[in-house]
Amino acid sequence: MNSFIIASFIVILMPGTGFVYTISTGVTRGKKSGVYAAVGCTLAIIPHMIAGIFTMFFLTNINDMVFQSVKFVGVIYLIYLGITMIRGKVSYEMEQEDKKISNLKIGLKGMLINLLNPKLTVFFLAFIPQYIDKSERNILMQSIQLDMIFLVISLLVFLIYALLSGSVFYFIEKGNQKLSWLPRLSGIIFIVFSIQLLVSRI
């Protein structure tokens, strides 16, 4: 469980489209709007979680070899994500949010940003099964528990981003070029965790 929580933090802390949207909203519209953006971005990952849960639950009831194959392919995909983090370039361009639109629409836009990202479903299908113990019963409950932990961590991190949006934006604006080490370090740590998972499967 501890390794799952640490790996989840690594994934969530990596700045992405939701991060940029939340920060830019907080900076241009204020902390309250930033909170709406954070909640919207977080809620949008629930459908991806549900898709991943039911797909994995279906696979576990087919054949143990199929499930183990999915976990193996999943960990390879996670290693690939780590490599993309290392090779990725840091560039965070903040959008100016229209101050005339309501906070509700801000939240809905945040939902659409993550909801329309099919890579999230693939991620959950690759990530969550790595921490499922098929020898125990209630595989579905294990999946739901892990997804809920990930969801809570995501919400907390995005709310912190929203509330500290001004400070985070200043840090990014002043040190954009110096942040190149961040995705590389996260990628290396993520690969180490993934290889550890892969070795444990052998």
Side-chain angles (χ1 to χ4, degrees):
M1 183 63 72
N2 289 336
S3 61
F4 173 77
I5 293 175
I6 294 173
S8 297
F9 266 111
I10 294 172
V11 173
I12 297 166
L13 287 171
M14 270 305 301
T17 53
F19 164 87
V20 173
Y21 179 66
T22 300
I23 298 299
S24 60
T25 300
V27 170
T28 59
R29 301 248 325 184
K31 294 179 180 179
K32 184 177 180 179
S33 295
V35 169
Y36 273 84
V39 172
C41 289
T42 304
L43 291 178
I45 68 178
I46 294 178
H48 297 287
M49 287 181 170
I50 294 174
I53 287 174
F54 281 100
T55 302
M56 189 203 64
F57 184 70
F58 173 74
L59 293 174
T60 58
N61 287 281
I62 295 178
N63 184 282
D64 184 64
M65 184 176 294
V66 173
F67 181 62
Q68 294 301 327
S69 298
V70 170
K71 294 179 79 170
F72 178 78
V73 173
V75 78
I76 297 300
Y77 176 72
L78 295 177
I79 292 174
Y80 165 76
L81 286 181
I83 294 174
T84 58
M85 290 180 191
I86 295 173
R87 299 180 61 184
K89 295 181 179 180
V90 178
S91 181
Y92 309 126
E93 296 182 2
M94 302 296 174
E95 298 181 7
Q96 293 293 319
E97 284 300 318
D98 187 356
K99 295 185 178 182
K100 296 180 181 180
I101 64 176
S102 66
N103 284 327
L104 180 60
K105 289 184 178 180
I106 288 289
L108 291 174
K109 183 178 178 180
M111 290 182 66
L112 285 175
I113 287 174
N114 277 345
L115 191 63
L116 299 178
N117 184 2
K119 292 182 180 180
L120 284 175
T121 299
V122 178
F123 169 76
F124 284 113
L125 187 56
F127 184 61
I128 299 299
Q130 308 303 327
Y131 299 91
I132 296 294
D133 186 356
K134 199 179 179 185
S135 64
E136 297 183 9
R137 297 180 179 179
N138 297 323
I139 293 176
L140 182 60
M141 289 306 299
Q142 288 185 61
S143 303
I144 294 174
Q145 181 183 18
L146 292 172
D147 278 319
M148 289 306 297
I149 291 173
F150 189 93
L151 186 67
V152 170
I153 295 174
S154 297
L155 180 59
L156 290 175
V157 170
F158 272 82
L159 285 176
I160 291 173
Y161 281 155
L163 295 175
L164 299 179
S165 55
S167 300
V168 176
F169 175 73
Y170 178 81
F171 177 73
I172 291 174
E173 188 179 42
K174 296 300 181 181
N176 192 32
Q177 298 301 320
K178 298 178 182 179
L179 291 176
S180 60
W181 59 270
L182 181 58
R184 294 171 185 171
L185 177 61
S186 300
I188 291 171
I189 297 174
F190 203 66
I191 289 173
V192 170
F193 270 98
S194 301
I195 292 175
Q196 184 182 21
L197 287 170
L198 181 61
V199 171
S200 67
R201 305 285 178 261
I202 299 176

